[in-house]
Amino acid sequence: MTDTLVAVVLAGGTGTRLYPASRSDRPKQFLPLGGDRSLLAETVDRAGFADEVYVLTRPDLADQVREHAPSAGVLTEPEPKDTGPALAYAAHRVREQVGDCTLVCLPSDHHIEGEGATDGSGLGTSERASPASSDFAGTMTDAAAVAAETDSLVTVGVEPTRPETGYGYVKPGDERTTDGGRTYHPVETFTEKPDQGAAMRYRHHGYYWNAGMFAWTPDAFLREAADSELAPLLDALDAGDPDRGFAAVDPVSVDYAVMEATDDAALVPATFEWDDLGAWDAVERVLDADDDGNAVLGDAVTIDAENTVVATDGHASVVGVEDLVVASYGDRTLVVPKNQAQRVREVVAELEDEGLF
């Protein structure tokens, strides 16, 4: 395995499904959801097992990134075009700046149970977490070791705890072990977000959630990306013209552009509890609910309310309701049935069309 381990934290998105807390000028990675510090700050601290940490963001958010994560280097992509172009750009830039290394790629807006997940030791690769480690740092260093030893693209899979229809799934092959003693599974298939019946089957048959956390060497990722629709971007990056490269490609996820197409994908199971905090209904999974099942973020009063998520940066009162999300931030308020929380993106789409997001 290479001597240098680099963490790349992706922080260029908006988190539209957490509107109105998350807005175009205040993406969710800068919000403290259930804690005292922002999700980005917690993620960068969590990545302290790496030798170097970079945050990849868009230019207009760079100053905010530096405020929330002053210890990290900042990379700015020309424009946000989803995770495919973002991770290709990051791999190319880090290889230029650091040289031979292994990358772990982390979203900036996830919740990891137990924030004692970093040791901050700065240890050399050979001294890092052993294969038996049972925390975030251990899983990610295992994933990086598998990536370096097998020259594969590694995804970290989370064992499902419910038949979730909002996540992608990964079907693992039979367990294998590297020469260094790290266990992994070749990936058989990636599956997009399923319906309820399929999600139940996937959970029963041992599929993992695709958590959007990866490990690879820059050379391995760029090799696979060169055979994808990201090829024009890579050609432009090699020519020193990232603006032209981003203009030449459409927005595309790394899963669709690279991971679903490669024959060299591997899965390392996570040994930590995880939630992507993708929508308001996720808040109740990471906060302690009251006796009536209400999860409250901020200052709120609930009377005769049940199983309701209330989130506010001011004050909110809810009376005689159940199974709702009530979110009020600044001059914006959202009320939606909890089981339709994913539809917040429809609100955001309309607001964007009107220039109000």
Side-chain angles (χ1 to χ4, degrees):
M1 184 173 175
T2 58
D3 289 336
T4 304
L5 179 58
V6 177
V8 174
V9 177
L10 299 179
T14 302
T16 55
R17 288 173 293 164
L18 284 182
Y19 172 85
S22 184
R23 303 273 293 276
S24 59
D25 60 345
R26 187 185 58 191
K28 73 174 180 179
Q29 58 264 30
F30 299 127
L31 302 176
L33 295 177
D36 296 327
R37 300 184 307 147
S38 68
L39 295 173
L40 174 60
E42 290 182 347
T43 304
V44 169
D45 273 6
R46 194 182 302 133
F49 61 87
D51 296 300
E52 297 190 41
V53 180
Y54 288 88
V55 178
L56 178 66
T57 191
R58 59 183 197 253
D60 60 306
L61 298 179
D63 288 343
Q64 289 187 71
V65 167
R66 293 185 179 98
E67 292 174 6
H68 287 259
S71 64
V74 179
L75 302 174
T76 55
E77 57 183 336
E79 58 180 306
K81 285 202 166 180
D82 212 332
T83 55
L87 288 171
Y89 179 77
H92 200 279
R93 285 292 310 278
V94 171
R95 187 175 64 177
E96 287 179 340
Q97 295 192 18
V98 178
D100 190 24
C101 64
T102 305
L103 304 180
V104 292
C105 306
L106 309 172
S108 60
D109 53 2
H110 288 181
H111 173 80
I112 306 297
E113 188 67 30
E115 290 302 329
T118 67
D119 58 17
S121 62
L123 296 176
T125 299
S126 63
E127 301 170 76
R128 291 193 184 95
S130 71
S133 296
S134 58
D135 57 13
F136 182 81
T139 297
M140 298 312 302
T141 50
D142 281 354
V146 170
E149 290 185 51
T150 64
D151 200 32
S152 59
L153 309 186
V154 176
T155 184
V156 174
V158 174
E159 186 175 350
T161 57
R162 60 188 183 277
E164 174 63 57
T165 60
Y167 300 158
Y169 286 73
V170 184
K171 182 181 181 181
D174 293 335
E175 184 176 277
R176 297 182 185 177
T177 304
T178 69
D179 291 341
R182 316 279 177 150
T183 58
Y184 69 98
H185 301 261
V187 170
E188 291 194 6
T189 57
F190 284 85
T191 303
E192 296 299 325
K193 298 173 183 178
D195 59 27
Q196 187 74 12
M200 293 175 69
R201 292 193 301 273
Y202 293 160
R203 185 184 180 195
H204 177 74
H205 289 293
Y207 286 53
Y208 287 84
W209 283 334
N210 180 9
M213 295 177 281
F214 305 102
W216 45 59
T217 65
D219 286 349
F221 180 76
L222 294 173
R223 176 193 71 223
E224 297 301 309
D227 290 329
S228 77
E229 59 196 89
L230 298 174
L233 170 59
L234 302 189
D235 291 341
L237 291 174
D238 288 341
D241 193 352
D243 289 338
R244 172 170 65 83
F246 272 75
V249 295
D250 294 324
V252 62
S253 72
V254 70
D255 299 303
Y256 184 81
V258 179
M259 298 302 290
E260 294 180 12
T262 182
D263 293 326
D264 292 321
L267 180 144
V268 169
T271 56
F272 51 84
E273 295 183 36
W274 165 90
D275 201 293
D276 79 337
L277 291 177
W280 282 116
D281 59 331
V283 171
E284 67 180 356
R285 296 196 294 267
V286 301
L287 295 181
D288 292 331
D290 64 20
D291 292 341
D292 295 313
N294 301 306
V296 174
L297 184 62
D299 180 23
V301 171
T302 61
I303 298 174
D304 293 332
E306 295 181 355
N307 302 318
T308 289
V309 174
V310 186
T312 180
D313 63 354
H315 173 85
S317 298
V318 295
V319 181
V321 301
E322 60 183 67
D323 298 319
L324 288 182
V325 170
V326 179
S328 179
Y329 285 80
D331 61 348
R332 306 290 180 93
T333 299
L334 168 80
V335 180
V336 62
K338 198 166 57 177
N339 63 3
Q340 297 186 50
Q342 300 289 339
R343 297 188 64 190
V344 173
R345 68 182 69 190
E346 298 174 32
V347 176
V348 171
E350 186 163 331
L351 292 172
E352 287 178 331
D353 289 342
E354 298 175 7
L356 298 175
F357 183 63

